[in-house]
Amino acid sequence: MGSYCSPDVWAWIQSLPPITQWKTNSMSICIFSSKLTQASLDLTINKANQNYHTSISFSIVADLHIPIPLWTSKSFKPSIQASKLLDNGTSCSLFCNLVKNILNYGPTKNISFLYIPSLDTISNFKEIFNLSFFTLTLLICIYEVPKDLRLECLETIKNHLVGSYSRDTTKTLMRLLGSNIEEQWMRSLNLAITNFIAEMDEQNHILRTPLPFSYAISTVGLWKVQLYCPIIAMKLDTSSHLPANERLQFSLRHQQLEGVIQFSYKVVVQEKWVNVIANVDNIRCDVIRLVSETLMRKQGAGSAEKHFPSRISLELTPTLQTNVLSVSVSKSSENPTLEIGLEKTVEGSFETPNILGLRAAMSETMTMSLKPWKFEQSIYGYSANLNWYLHDSVNGREVFSSKPSKIALLKPKAWFKNRYSSAYRPFTKQGGVVFAGDEYGDSVIWKIDKGALGKTMEWEIKGSIWLTYWPNKHRSFYTETRALEFREIVHLSLI
């Protein structure tokens, strides 16, 4: 296993002397050193003089027998007056350049407006800068690094980025960038992960796939969990025996799950206890393509062939239960109703001029009225379990645990055909689902002993999401269901 020579890139840049004191035209620091091949990955700062002006640029270089530049930043004007190489303005420009280069690896080339506040207002900018730099390095390793160095370097940088410290810094970075840039960032990163896993699958390499990235926000009256996971990294729960063809595999692989879990809560002090009341505010799950629509048509089976949410399971639990007295949930959604109707028809016709032939027909029909999504609540200890199940509106079976027959897959008017354009679709037109508080807003109530007043309590939000694929427009008998799990901690002050 290789190792970092120095992961604190920001501290190294800040320690460099002003450009006027340089005795060479470049400065380098080792990012990664291989113990197997003795090769390394270096960050190099190059000085250039053009038209009587001095500029610097940053490069990531594979130091093999012949150094190979893999990435180069734009040019920056170094600080002449200050005692260090970069002033705050130039440091901010360098950081923005890193972010934009990460976003450029994604499917969207039109980068949303990027605004970064003054560096003086960002308390942990060093950690944020280093995280951004190593995220870019990870993408460069996937797409650019020679194979002699690639796998060893990737494993080391990946372990650094998925550590708890880096994950906490990522949460801070996402808040700093804003939601629009956050989505583009995660799509760039997960597209690279998807391409790498697909490449390793073709070479029969066994990979430890990364966990889904998620983070939680606790603020006054709101708990929020945001999560992202490439479809290819989700656990395969069930699949048909027939494999998907190459074009269909391309479409199914190059997708990403994006989810938002929001609960509103309030604290109500009663005479003998405290009520903590949590309501569903918004549950959103979308399956988003990671490549352009043009590429989906050219190499895949089209953008309409993708997974859809089929079950969502959430569990809310107070982690310290000493002061918890009880928990109550509301009723689940209503069961489907059966509507039975009797239809009679009489038809008459003259067979010949002399014979009256009268045909009579009577038929009886039974129809089932079924909501595609059924919501259920249950209790386990002091945990509240909330479950949404998608049902086949024809036979009423749960979708995530079953599959349609081959005959059903060929029917052009089955409910899962044209599922993103039909007026009766159980999804948004984009292919996701939204559960809002107006329909699923019945509350969960914990009764807490009044001795807990003034304390901050911890709640665990744990969940699983199942995504299912049944053919939409593409002619295929392939079906599968994938699942992921996540866990986050949120807080609540009893005041």
Side-chain angles (χ1 to χ4, degrees):
M1 177 65 66
S3 61
Y4 290 114
C5 296
S6 173
D8 197 346
V9 174
W10 175 249
W12 174 72
I13 294 174
Q14 291 296 95
S15 69
L16 292 175
I19 198 73
T20 54
Q21 298 179 19
W22 283 27
K23 296 181 180 179
T24 61
N25 288 328
S26 66
M27 295 278 193
S28 295
I29 180 176
C30 178
I31 304 169
F32 168 82
S33 179
S34 171
K35 292 182 179 180
L36 298 177
T37 65
Q38 305 304 314
S40 66
L41 207 62
D42 302 332
L43 171 64
T44 300
I45 306 179
N46 299 297
K47 179 177 71 172
N49 295 308
Q50 294 180 342
N51 300 325
Y52 306 102
H53 293 288
T54 301
S55 65
I56 58 172
S57 61
F58 295 76
S59 298
I60 293 177
V61 178
D63 190 2
L64 304 170
H65 299 296
I66 300 175
I68 303 173
L70 307 174
W71 167 83
T72 302
S73 73
K74 70 176 186 178
S75 296
F76 299 94
K77 184 179 179 181
S79 175
I80 303 298
Q81 304 295 331
S83 59
K84 54 186 180 180
L85 181 64
L86 303 179
D87 57 26
N88 277 1
T90 307
S91 298
C92 188
S93 296
L94 173 59
F95 172 67
C96 289
N97 189 232
L98 293 179
V99 172
K100 289 178 179 178
N101 275 268
I102 291 169
L103 301 184
N104 281 336
Y105 279 102
T108 305
K109 301 307 177 186
N110 297 323
I111 297 173
S112 302
F113 179 71
L114 178 62
Y115 170 76
I116 304 298
S118 172
L119 300 191
D120 297 332
T121 64
I122 306 174
S123 58
N124 58 338
F125 181 73
K126 178 180 79 169
E127 290 80 9
I128 289 174
F129 180 91
N130 285 337
L131 177 75
S132 303
F133 175 79
F134 284 111
T135 301
L136 177 60
T137 304
L138 180 75
L139 297 179
I140 290 169
C141 278
I142 290 174
Y143 291 115
E144 312 292 347
V145 168
K147 65 178 182 179
D148 293 345
L149 191 61
R150 185 183 185 215
L151 290 179
E152 193 182 0
C153 182
L154 266 175
E155 183 68 17
T156 304
I157 295 177
K158 184 203 75 173
N159 290 340
H160 174 71
L161 290 176
V162 300
S164 59
Y165 184 77
S166 292
R167 289 176 69 86
D168 289 341
T169 304
T170 303
K171 298 176 187 179
T172 306
L173 173 61
M174 295 300 103
R175 298 287 300 278
L176 176 67
L177 296 178
S179 181
N180 290 5
I181 299 296
E182 172 187 322
E183 288 186 356
Q184 291 179 247
W185 176 290
M186 296 308 302
R187 290 171 191 176
S188 293
L189 181 59
N190 284 333
L191 173 59
I193 291 172
T194 295
N195 288 334
F196 179 66
I197 293 176
E199 179 187 339
M200 293 297 102
D201 283 348
E202 290 176 359
Q203 298 175 13
N204 295 319
H205 282 283
I206 299 176
L207 286 174
R208 290 176 295 169
T209 53
L211 296 172
F213 172 71
S214 63
Y215 67 90
I217 297 172
S218 306
T219 187
V220 178
L222 180 69
W223 292 328
K224 176 184 176 182
V225 175
Q226 185 91 37
L227 63 92
Y228 302 88
C229 186
I231 300 296
I232 197 171
M234 293 176 65
K235 177 186 175 183
L236 185 62
D237 202 39
T238 59
S239 68
S240 58
H241 298 298
L242 295 172
N245 62 48
E246 188 175 336
R247 295 181 70 88
L248 181 57
Q249 279 188 9
F250 184 91
S251 287
L252 296 183
R253 281 175 168 176
H254 290 83
Q255 308 279 351
Q256 165 175 281
L257 171 64
E258 299 180 4
V260 177
I261 315 294
Q262 290 178 183
F263 289 95
S264 60
Y265 71 84
K266 60 182 177 180
V267 178
V268 180
V269 180
Q270 304 287 352
E271 182 180 352
K272 296 183 179 180
W273 58 70
V274 179
N275 282 339
V276 173
I277 306 171
N279 293 76
V280 171
D281 177 77
N282 226 231
I283 311 293
R284 303 192 300 271
C285 289
D286 287 302
V287 180
I288 304 297
R289 57 179 169 80
L290 292 174
V291 296
S292 68
E293 194 165 349
T294 302
L295 192 57
M296 277 291 193
R297 289 195 303 266
K298 184 178 179 181
Q299 294 191 27
S303 298
E305 299 307 314
K306 62 179 181 178
H307 296 76
F308 53 84
S310 56
R311 181 186 173 189
I312 300 171
S313 179
L314 302 176
E315 183 177 283
L316 278 70
T317 308
T319 57
L320 183 61
Q321 302 184 357
T322 307
N323 297 109
V324 180
L325 302 175
S326 69
V327 59
S328 304
V329 293
S330 305
K331 69 174 183 177
S332 298
S333 58
E334 296 178 354
N335 292 325
T337 58
L338 294 178
E339 299 174 355
I340 300 176
L342 186 65
E343 181 182 337
K344 297 180 179 180
T345 60
V346 177
E347 297 179 0
S349 65
F350 288 99
E351 301 272 336
T352 67
N354 298 320
I355 302 174
L356 175 62
L358 180 64
R359 293 197 305 268
M362 183 176 67
S363 64
E364 181 178 314
T365 61
M366 184 178 69
T367 61
M368 179 184 295
S369 175
L370 175 67
K371 288 185 177 181
W373 285 96
K374 181 174 176 58
F375 175 59
E376 294 182 351
Q377 297 188 52
S378 61
I379 295 296
Y380 178 75
Y382 286 142
S383 298
N385 297 294
L386 290 75
N387 289 277
W388 289 262
Y389 301 91
L390 177 64
H391 290 77
D392 186 327
S393 59
V394 176
N395 54 37
R397 291 187 302 178
E398 291 177 352
V399 171
F400 86 99
S401 60
S402 62
K403 64 178 182 179
S405 66
K406 290 185 177 181
I407 295 176
L409 289 172
L410 294 175
K411 290 181 179 179
K413 293 185 178 181
W415 79 267
F416 48 86
K417 295 285 188 178
N418 300 310
R419 55 180 172 259
Y420 308 123
S421 56
S422 168
Y424 304 101
R425 62 184 185 268
F427 315 103
T428 64
K429 200 165 184 68
Q430 193 176 25
V433 291
V434 178
F435 303 126
D438 55 354
E439 187 174 1
Y440 301 99
D442 292 338
S443 57
V444 180
I445 304 174
W446 288 269
K447 288 182 172 60
I448 311 295
D449 187 274
K450 292 189 77 171
L453 279 174
K455 298 179 181 179
T456 297
M457 291 188 67
E458 201 177 68
W459 251 261
E460 179 188 73
I461 300 179
K462 186 167 64 173
S464 298
I465 298 175
W466 285 261
L467 299 181
T468 297
Y469 172 73
W470 290 354
N472 184 27
K473 296 181 178 180
H474 188 69
R475 291 182 64 86
S476 173
F477 292 123
Y478 183 74
T479 62
E480 72 172 28
T481 293
R482 293 179 176 266
L484 70 82
E485 298 178 353
F486 64 91
R487 175 185 175 274
E488 290 294 335
I489 297 295
V490 292
H491 298 88
L492 174 150
S493 297
L494 294 177
I495 54 175

